[in-house]
Structures are given as C-alpha cells and as structure tokens.
Amino acid sequence: MTTARDPVSPPVALSIAGSDSGGGAGIQADLKAMTAHGVFGTSVVTATTAQNTRGVRDVHAVPPAHVASQCDAVFDDFDVGAVKTGMLATAETVETVTGLVATDSAPVVVDPVMVAATGDRLLSPDAEEAYEGLIEAAALVTPNADEAEVLVDGPVDTPADAERAGRELVAMGADAALVKGGHIGDGELVTDTLVIGEGEGEATALRLENPRIATDATHGSGCVLSSAIAARLARGEPLRDAAGTAVEEMTEAVRRGYDVGEGPGAVNPTVLGEN
C-alpha cells in the first residue's frame, strides 16, 4: 500500500552570501530564518569561511563566474520572490551580483557586510565603492552604524545620524534603508531607523524602538534580520510591515539565542515568523 504525496508550494527566497562553518551566521543562518517564516530558501555561496564562535580563521572567495552560475541555476528553475545579499567578498563579485539581481523583478534586501564586530574593515576600498550599484538596485539596504558610516562617508553615532544616513542611502537609489541601532548608544532601548523613499517626495523616517538584551551573543543578527525581511517580502508583505515586524521579532531571537561553542553565542532564527 502506498501513500499519496501531499506537497506544499511555499514562497521562494534566495540568499547570496558567504558560508559560516560555525553555523551561526551567513548562508546557514539565512536558510534557518527563511524556513522559520515558511519560505523555501535557496542559496548562492560567495565565499567559504573557517570560523567558529571565537572568530574567523580563514576566508576563501568563490570565483565570480561560479557565483553567476549558481544564480543562473536558481533563477532558471525557481520563482524567486525575494533576494537577500550578504557577504560578497570582492569588488568583482559585488559587480557580478549587481548585474544579476538588477535584471530580475524580485525585491533585493542588501545587507552590506563590510565591517566586522571588532570594527575591522572586511572589504577593500574598490569593493566598497562597487556597492553603489547594488544599493541602487536595492528594495532595502540594512547597514549597521559602522557600515552606514562607510557607505555615506560620515559619522553615525546617534539616531539623528542614522536618519541622515538612511536618507542619503535612499538618495543613492535604494527604495528604503534600515540603519540598525545595536551599535548606537548603550541605553535600555535599541533604536533602528527605517527610511522609506516616497518617489519624488521627501522620504519617510520611522524609529523602531525595542528592548536591548544584555548580551554579547549577537552573532548572525544582521544575517538573520535581512533574511527575515526577505522572507516576508517573498510572502507578499509590504516593505514597511516586513521590516517593522522582523525588527520587533529580533528581540526574541537575541533573548533566546544559542549558547553553543566557547565564544559568544548566536541568535536563534527558529523563533521568528510567529507573527
């Protein structure tokens, strides 16, 4: 006796990012966040890393031609509802990915992985400059304060600075910008700033305040947040709702983070998507 199949047809999202051998960030975290939202996650690996909870030991960039082949394979077979980009490693890869996503209709969430938690720059100046084209193609760009400083070439120390940076990113061509506030201030609240372009009119700025969790176990938080937003966009949610809800849910993802390894832990993507 056989049992008939009962398949499901979830929305599809694509993560174009690096691999984290420690499992807490990168492609691994992206796919967990997408699954938690009921979205089928596909992936394009741009780099492999040798890392764990204590740090990164080695990075190996995937040749841009192979990155393009991976993208072509996904777009050729799947109805991709949204794309998220993470670590792109080199200027050539940034340019390759920009060319690929700019010709597709799926909204693109750009997480500009440029600055490590230590403050160290992860990209060469030419790779940083190459991001201008990708930002122009973005439905949303999600820098932390350090990355926003690189992108707009100015300080981002306060929520007012974050709003200014967000407006500059929208002026650069992004439909919207979410400047994350985890590195801004040390009070009881984390203030993220969402700036949404309004066509020819002045962009709208929203401050999203949520409780700050007293922990340094935030590995993967940027990856998970951008993937959660991409998953919600793939489900058809408006950008403002997708970003606002994902930001709110991240408090619980940090509070219920993973205590694994000997270093700081990672956020928990599996608790997302409940709202």
Side-chain angles (χ1 to χ4, degrees):
M1 181 178 178
T2 60
T3 301
R5 290 183 70 230
D6 186 19
V8 296
S9 298
V12 177
L14 168 62
S15 169
I16 306 175
S19 169
D20 174 3
S21 56
I27 290 283
Q28 288 83 348
D30 295 343
L31 296 179
K32 292 170 188 174
M34 291 173 181
T35 300
H37 285 85
V39 171
F40 185 83
T42 58
S43 62
V44 168
V45 179
T46 59
T48 60
T49 66
Q51 67 175 293
N52 54 31
T53 60
R54 290 176 292 180
V56 179
R57 299 181 179 182
D58 191 23
V59 177
H60 176 71
V62 172
H66 186 57
V67 171
S69 294
Q70 294 177 74
C71 283
D72 288 341
V74 173
F75 284 129
D76 185 54
D77 192 38
F78 296 91
D79 181 13
V80 177
V83 177
K84 167 263 168 83
T85 70
M87 178 183 180
L88 299 182
T90 68
E92 191 175 356
T93 297
V94 175
E95 292 166 354
T96 297
V97 170
T98 300
L100 291 164
V101 300
T103 59
D104 192 82
S105 60
V108 182
V109 178
V110 174
D111 182 16
V113 181
M114 295 180 164
V115 182
T118 58
D120 295 327
R121 301 278 273 267
L122 300 176
L123 296 177
S124 61
D126 60 335
E128 292 174 354
E129 291 177 7
Y131 260 92
E132 291 183 8
L134 188 54
I135 290 170
E136 188 174 352
L140 178 70
V141 58
T142 63
N144 61 31
D146 295 328
E147 291 157 348
E149 289 184 350
V150 173
L151 292 171
V152 304
D153 193 24
V156 180
D157 300 320
T158 67
D161 291 339
E163 180 178 333
R164 174 189 52 79
R167 291 185 183 278
E168 288 193 34
L169 291 168
V170 169
M172 290 168 62
D175 293 341
L178 175 65
V179 182
K180 295 172 288 190
H183 297 174
I184 298 175
D186 56 3
E188 295 182 355
L189 295 176
V190 174
T191 301
D192 299 305
T193 303
L194 177 63
V195 179
I196 302 175
E198 301 290 351
E200 297 298 323
E202 184 177 359
T204 298
L206 305 170
R207 291 184 180 176
L208 310 175
E209 296 183 336
N210 289 284
R212 185 183 297 275
I213 307 300
T215 180
D216 60 354
T218 57
H219 184 55
S221 56
C223 303
V224 169
L225 176 59
S226 57
S227 296
I229 296 171
R232 289 182 172 277
L233 292 176
R235 297 193 325 195
E237 295 182 20
L239 188 145
R240 181 180 300 195
D241 294 343
T245 304
V247 166
E248 183 178 354
E249 288 185 326
M250 282 301 297
T251 301
E252 191 69 0
V254 174
R255 190 182 74 83
R256 295 169 60 185
Y258 292 121
D259 185 10
V260 292
E262 297 182 8
V267 300
N268 183 354
T270 68
V271 304
L272 302 176
E274 297 175 355
N275 294 326

